[in-house]
């Protein structure tokens, strides 16, 4: 079981995402757990302020460090050890990682997803607006991650990408009859011929031949 915790000012964005298809099934089967946390919960003023003007001036607002720090501290799983007389509490280390999303971060790769799939908990800090106080990257997050060379409105879509790519690697998340890896060759299904205007789009003959050796050979050569 891996626990994902998302800290965001837009938890509603995730509602449909976490309650459909494989992610819904994974949660039901207790293979993954997903916690959604509104950053405003950790503010103390009546306006629930999460951002402020940048020091040194400039346009836009910057997410403040205090609520993010409090959120991470309260969400971090702690080892529960039952103390009883004369019995030393069992101690083991939880494997956790705090990830901040930013277009300036290290690129997400399948290799990283594989490493993270072995953890107990991943905490995601979704940046928004023009930025996040840099001390979050320096002192709170273990890693700063980007999902590609483009700028999103915030880290929410990035968090979804990580949740999906990591979940798929957790044993049991993908049923045996489904495939964990995408096919690395071209695929076709019915109809054999699709008429598109004046064009007849045909399925390669070899796939209809029933000759598995030939099909295997064809798949090796076609990417
Ligand atoms: N926030 C904004 N753009 C992003 C990106 N490309 N990756 C991760 N977080 C982001």
């Amino acid at each position: 079981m891996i626990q994902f915790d998302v800290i965001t000012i837009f938890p509603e964005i995730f509602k449909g995402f976490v309650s459909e298809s494989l992610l819904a099934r994974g949660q039901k089967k207790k293979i993954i757990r997903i916690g959604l946390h509104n950053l405003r919960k950790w503010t103390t003023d009546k306006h629930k302020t999460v951002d402020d003007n940048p020091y040194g001036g400039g346009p836009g607002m910057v997410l403040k460090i205090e609520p993010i720090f409090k959120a991470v501290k309260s969400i971090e799983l702690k080892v529960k050890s039952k103390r009883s007389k004369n019995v030393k509490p069992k101690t083991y280390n939880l494997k956790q990682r705090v990830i901040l999303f930013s277009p300036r971060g290290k690129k997400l790769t399948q290799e990283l997803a594989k490493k993270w799939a072995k953890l107990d908990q991943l905490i995601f800090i979704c940046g928004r607006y023009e930025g996040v106080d840099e001390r979050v990257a320096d002192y709170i997050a273990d890693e700063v991650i980007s999902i590609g060379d483009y700028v999103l409105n915030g880290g929410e879509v990035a968090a979804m990408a990580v949740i999906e790519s990591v979940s798929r690697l957790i044993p049991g998340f993908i049923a045996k009859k489904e495939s964990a890896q995408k096919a690395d060759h071209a695929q076709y299904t019915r109809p054999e011929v699709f008429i598109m205007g004046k064009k007849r789009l045909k399925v390669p003959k070899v796939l209809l031949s029933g000759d598995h050796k030939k099909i295997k050979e064809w798949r090796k050569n076609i990417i």
Side-chain angles (χ1 to χ4, degrees):
M1 153 88 85
I2 182 167
Q3 163 121 14
F4 301 105
D5 286 286
V6 186
I7 301 168
T8 168
I9 53 171
F10 297 114
E12 295 292 320
I13 290 178
F14 291 84
K15 290 279 159 75
F17 174 72
V18 302
S19 57
E20 294 287 341
S21 185
L22 296 186
L23 288 183
R25 189 180 73 184
Q27 290 171 92
K28 224 166 145 193
K29 282 166 70 182
K30 299 205 184 327
I31 288 165
I32 59 166
R33 188 183 276 160
I34 305 173
L36 302 174
H37 311 277
N38 193 330
L39 180 62
R40 295 192 195 279
K41 185 172 155 191
W42 289 277
T43 56
T44 45
D45 64 309
K46 77 169 188 227
H47 301 294
K48 299 188 186 295
T49 309
V50 289
D51 56 357
D52 208 335
N53 297 307
Y55 277 118
M61 302 290 272
V62 176
L63 283 183
K64 291 157 69 65
I65 187 171
E66 292 105 314
I68 293 176
F69 174 71
K70 286 186 192 158
V72 170
K73 285 292 137 208
S74 90
I75 289 164
E76 263 173 351
L77 292 175
K78 282 113 199 151
V79 176
K80 278 184 222 132
S81 53
K82 283 194 194 107
R83 267 179 193 283
S84 56
K85 246 195 274 170
N86 304 326
V87 178
K88 248 178 121 182
K90 242 200 205 162
T91 53
Y92 57 91
N93 289 327
L94 280 169
K95 295 191 270 328
Q96 294 156 314
R97 219 82 188 121
V98 179
I99 312 294
L100 170 69
F101 290 112
S102 159
R104 286 162 52 214
K106 185 169 94 179
K107 217 60 61 62
L108 174 67
T109 60
Q110 187 71 7
E111 282 314 300
L112 258 185
K114 277 185 196 162
K115 271 192 205 155
W116 290 341
K118 296 184 184 128
L119 300 178
D120 298 301
Q121 184 183 29
L122 271 169
I123 298 177
F124 303 125
I125 303 166
C126 298
R128 271 270 144 181
Y129 303 133
E130 276 69 17
V132 179
D133 188 310
E134 194 66 16
R135 289 168 291 187
V136 174
D138 293 343
Y139 299 103
I140 297 176
D142 298 307
E143 292 183 70
V144 183
I145 295 294
S146 159
I147 59 163
D149 281 333
Y150 37 78
V151 181
L152 303 165
N153 292 338
E156 284 76 10
V157 168
M160 292 188 213
V162 175
I163 291 172
E164 280 208 358
S165 56
V166 172
S167 293
R168 295 177 63 77
L169 300 169
I170 311 286
F173 182 83
I174 306 282
K176 279 212 181 78
K177 61 178 183 346
E178 298 154 357
S179 172
Q181 294 270 317
K182 218 185 129 1
D184 53 7
H185 52 76
Q187 305 238 77
Y188 297 85
T189 189
R190 274 190 277 249
E192 240 176 86
V193 182
F194 178 66
I195 314 288
M196 194 172 78
K198 284 186 182 141
K199 288 190 185 133
R200 290 168 58 77
L201 313 182
K202 289 186 203 153
V203 171
K205 263 207 180 85
V206 60
L207 298 179
L208 313 171
S209 68
D211 185 335
H212 295 291
K213 220 174 130 197
K214 267 194 190 156
I215 292 174
K216 216 170 151 189
E217 201 53 37
W218 180 86
R219 284 183 170 162
K220 247 197 279 174
N221 296 324
I222 197 125
I223 308 282

